[in-house]
Amino acid sequence: MRSLFIYLKNYKKETILAPLFKMLEASFELLVPLVMAAVIDKGIAQKDSPYIIRMCLVLIVLGIVGLICSLTAQYFSAKAAAGFGTGLRHALFEHIQHFGFSEMDEIGSSTLVTRMTSDVNQAQAGVNLVLRLFLRSPFIVFGAMAMSFMVDVKAAMVFVVVIPLLSVVVFGIMLITMPLYKKVQSYLDEILLKTRENLIGVRVLRAFNKEEKEKAEFEENNQMLTKEQKFVGSISGLMNPLTYIIVNVGIIVLIYVGAVRVNMGSLTQGEVVALVNYMSQILVELVKLANLIITVTKAAACGKRIEAVLAIKPEMQSGSLLYTEEKRIPAVEFSNVSLTYKNAGAPSLSNISFRAMPGETIGIIGGTGAGKSSIVNMIPRFYDASEGEVKVFGHDVREYEIESLRSHIGVVPQKEQTLEEALEISQAKEFVDSKPGKLEFMIEQNGRNLSGGQRQRMTIARALVRKPDILILDDSASALDFATDAALRDAIKNMKENPTVFLVSQRAASVRYADRIVVLEEGKAVAVGTHEELMQNCSAYQEIYYSQFPEEAVLHA
């Protein structure tokens, strides 16, 4: 977690003043037992009322000054911790923005959500407590021992025995629990992943009647998390009783030794009370220190998890070439391209080669898992080819500056001149105009208040607004009826920008009018041609087509 402290660099003043004011508060607190001893030995013993009143006023002043110091320290520590958390979140978010799809696939979005929320919050709480208590508590502990030696050396030897025992308990439990808290956070990642998958795939789960299975798996993961939390909690819970036992045994011994030395005349009653107060202060501070250690242990484990994300270097590096209006032909070219996803056992695409000229529409068709999305994801460099080259207007996509390249590519993902033009082309204007407020209509998260077809049309409109040179429609018309799908294709074909269009679909009707169709099977391009050519020469395409138009299969037979 040490490397994360750079996010405190803008709060140097606060990180110094917070513990400083806590030390001042602790100094005033250490004077209180001595004042009480004076009240007992001089004021009460000699029945000196004015002296008692003066000393009580001194106690009040010490309390007020200590309170002011405490509030000031709280303010500075809270400000520094909040600034630390803000800086860390911004840095983590910015770092994640540079991740490619490969890193996102490997880490998982649920893990990143945990790092951005729970882990950062724990690290922030750790910084807050460290600034407030990390110096104060040890200062009180060792300060109380030093003050006890000033009162009586022999009685103070009890402190010499008690403090090391307490240190062994506190730091021993810390060393045991630190890796366990890290394990707890990893179980939390799994819970979040399972929850996210269930929320996103709720319709699929219901369709295949998998609710009970998912409930059972969630319950199992939750029980594992609960079990681990109880185990680490039971170990951490030993800290308070063990420290109380040690300190209270120390107080018993201290009272006994003090009583003997009072009878001998070596100590006064007030001094014995002062020694007991110092031992009580040690008890209180060690309880605080125990809570501090637990929080810091969690914060350290979370800090290491955040560091692990920040240490990941994106494999995909941006090029330096800026996208220009000088366009070479072809618009897109795949040359012997293969793609193997990270940690995958086999390539998802093998030896893909085809060209797309400016203004052409390229259809990509194949079964589920054939590699359709993998092909189009390499054009805007969501993934890089493992072998071969993907060129856009004559340049390898790896030569382009990523932001410059993607600014000229419109992508309508599988999940889902002016804005008015975009709505008209995407066939969304009719339903947008029917909504209350039209363009001001509030769309809920994930478009829950829209139908599947409406969501897809809005997503297409969003991609068209930037007037891209290359438009990728990745199975983005699956929820549209055939008439709307046909109208959409005609509107895109008649766009004055005349973009190069990649149309990915499992529906033969969607791609049959494309200039060329790439037929994929198990990651390989088994054929490239027009609809008519493929109907004559490609059995894989024929199988897809006749499965969707069985009446034509009968006529053909």
Side-chain angles (χ1 to χ4, degrees):
M1 187 174 170
R2 191 175 300 172
S3 65
L4 302 182
F5 291 150
I6 60 170
Y7 301 106
L8 280 171
K9 65 181 180 181
N10 295 327
Y11 299 90
K12 293 178 181 177
K13 178 183 71 175
E14 287 79 4
T15 55
I16 293 172
L17 291 178
L20 178 61
F21 275 96
K22 274 294 179 180
M23 298 271 278
L24 286 174
E25 179 203 1
S27 299
F28 292 124
E29 193 171 325
L30 288 173
L31 295 175
V32 170
L34 294 181
V35 176
M36 286 300 301
V39 170
I40 294 170
D41 292 338
K42 295 181 181 179
I44 297 176
Q46 298 176 13
K47 298 181 181 180
D48 188 346
S49 297
Y51 184 83
I52 295 173
I53 293 172
R54 287 200 304 272
M55 289 298 102
C56 288
L57 290 175
V58 170
L59 289 175
I60 293 172
V61 171
L62 289 175
I64 293 173
V65 174
L67 177 62
I68 293 172
C69 290
S70 177
L71 293 176
T72 306
Q74 299 277 38
Y75 169 77
F76 285 126
S77 62
K79 184 178 178 181
F84 167 82
T86 301
L88 183 55
R89 285 189 190 91
H90 281 294
L92 191 57
F93 183 80
E94 183 179 356
H95 186 70
I96 291 171
Q97 296 308 301
H98 292 90
F99 284 174
F101 278 27
S102 297
E103 287 81 22
M104 296 295 290
D105 292 343
E106 182 180 8
I107 302 169
S109 55
S110 62
T111 298
L112 294 176
V113 169
T114 307
R115 302 293 190 274
M116 287 284 294
T117 53
S118 176
D119 286 349
V120 173
N121 288 339
Q122 289 282 6
Q124 180 177 325
V127 169
N128 193 358
L129 280 182
V130 164
L131 292 177
R132 286 164 46 197
L133 298 176
F134 190 70
L135 291 180
R136 182 191 189 281
S137 293
F139 181 78
I140 288 284
V141 171
F142 291 105
M145 184 172 70
M147 297 297 283
S148 66
F149 272 96
M150 291 176 60
V151 175
D152 185 75
V153 174
K154 290 187 177 180
M157 295 307 294
V158 177
F159 290 81
V160 176
V161 176
V162 168
I163 291 177
L165 287 175
L166 290 171
S167 300
V168 169
V169 170
V170 170
F171 290 103
I173 290 177
M174 180 189 72
L175 292 174
I176 294 171
T177 56
M178 187 173 291
L180 293 177
Y181 279 119
K182 187 175 181 180
K183 194 174 180 181
V184 166
Q185 289 297 114
S186 67
Y187 282 129
L188 182 59
D189 281 348
E190 294 180 13
I191 291 285
L192 286 174
L193 175 61
K194 179 60 67 175
T195 303
R196 185 173 182 274
E197 288 176 345
N198 286 339
L199 288 173
I200 293 174
V202 62
R203 293 184 178 180
V204 177
L205 293 175
R206 288 174 179 169
F208 289 92
N209 196 26
K210 295 289 185 180
E211 296 103 315
E212 295 304 320
K213 179 177 177 291
E214 291 299 318
K215 285 180 182 178
E217 288 184 6
F218 179 83
E219 185 65 25
E220 182 182 351
N221 290 339
N222 203 31
Q223 287 298 326
M224 290 174 66
L225 174 63
T226 304
K227 181 181 177 181
E228 200 65 31
Q229 284 179 323
K230 285 182 177 179
F231 178 63
V232 69
S234 63
I235 295 176
S236 299
L238 292 173
M239 191 173 293
N240 281 0
L242 289 176
T243 52
Y244 270 100
I245 289 171
I246 294 171
V247 169
N248 282 303
V249 169
I251 290 175
I252 292 170
V253 175
L254 188 61
I255 292 174
Y256 173 77
V257 172
V260 172
R261 292 185 63 75
V262 166
N263 286 335
M264 294 171 59
S266 302
L267 275 178
T268 64
Q269 293 177 343
E271 289 172 334
V272 173
V273 171
L275 289 171
V276 172
N277 281 339
Y278 282 129
M279 185 64 77
S280 299
Q281 283 183 350
I282 290 173
L283 172 62
V284 171
E285 289 306 318
L286 282 169
V287 170
K288 291 180 182 178
L289 187 60
N291 293 327
L292 170 65
I293 294 299
I294 293 171
T295 303
V296 169
T297 300
K298 292 180 181 178
C302 293
K304 288 181 179 178
R305 286 153 51 86
I306 296 170
E307 284 177 323
V309 174
L310 292 173
I312 295 173
K313 301 298 181 185
E315 293 181 358
M316 187 179 294
Q317 298 299 320
S318 179
S320 57
L321 181 66
L322 293 177
Y323 188 99
T324 63
E325 292 301 320
E326 179 189 354
K327 301 184 179 71
R328 305 179 186 179
I329 55 174
V332 176
E333 181 178 6
F334 278 67
S335 302
N336 301 316
V337 172
S338 297
L339 173 64
T340 303
Y341 290 111
K342 195 170 184 179
N343 300 322
S348 297
L349 293 173
S350 300
N351 200 32
I352 303 294
S353 296
F354 67 89
R355 289 182 172 188
M357 307 305 286
E360 281 191 333
T361 297
I362 304 297
I364 300 177
I365 194 168
T368 303
K372 304 186 297 296
S373 296
S374 298
I375 284 183
V376 294
N377 280 337
M378 286 191 287
I379 299 172
R381 274 198 85 190
F382 293 152
Y383 295 98
D384 276 341
S386 307
E387 297 176 13
E389 284 184 326
V390 179
K391 292 183 178 181
V392 171
F393 292 113
H395 295 283
D396 192 315
V397 291
R398 286 171 283 205
E399 297 176 15
Y400 285 107
E401 184 185 74
I402 291 177
E403 186 176 346
S404 177
L405 172 66
R406 293 176 182 172
S407 66
H408 291 79
I409 299 175
V411 181
V412 183
Q414 188 170 354
K415 296 177 181 177
E416 294 178 275
Q417 165 188 37
T418 64
L419 189 57
E420 292 288 338
E421 290 178 352
L423 291 173
E424 288 178 3
I425 295 171
S426 65
Q427 312 303 303
K429 184 169 175 56
E430 182 181 352
F431 89 80
V432 169
D433 288 344
S434 68
K435 296 292 184 183
K438 298 184 179 179
L439 288 174
E440 300 300 321
F441 177 70
M442 181 63 68
I443 297 179
E444 296 178 5
Q445 186 178 8
N446 293 326
R448 286 192 296 263
N449 55 342
L450 300 178
S451 68
Q454 289 173 343
R455 284 199 298 270
Q456 287 192 333
R457 279 178 275 178
M458 288 302 295
T459 309
I460 294 168
R462 184 179 62 190
L464 293 174
V465 165
R466 64 172 58 186
K467 301 184 184 303
D469 293 325
I470 299 172
L471 178 63
I472 299 172
L473 304 176
D474 188 358
D475 204 15
S476 54
S478 58
L480 303 182
D481 58 73
F482 285 101
T484 305
D485 186 14
L488 169 65
R489 283 185 275 108
D490 288 340
I492 291 175
K493 193 171 184 178
N494 293 322
M495 286 176 65
K496 59 186 177 186
E497 291 81 16
N498 196 25
T500 304
V501 180
F502 286 85
L503 187 57
V504 178
S505 182
Q506 293 184 357
R507 297 194 331 196
S510 298
V511 301
R512 66 179 297 176
Y513 298 107
D515 296 300
R516 276 195 305 286
I517 302 169
V518 179
V519 183
L520 292 179
E521 212 173 46
E522 296 182 354
K524 297 179 180 178
V526 295
V528 178
T530 64
H531 169 74
E532 291 75 15
E533 292 171 345
L534 295 175
M535 287 298 293
Q536 292 179 3
N537 305 319
C538 182
S539 59
Y541 184 77
Q542 293 171 8
E543 183 180 345
I544 295 172
Y545 185 82
Y546 288 136
S547 68
Q548 297 173 12
F549 297 95
E551 66 280 0
E552 293 191 27
V554 173
L555 293 175
H556 179 76

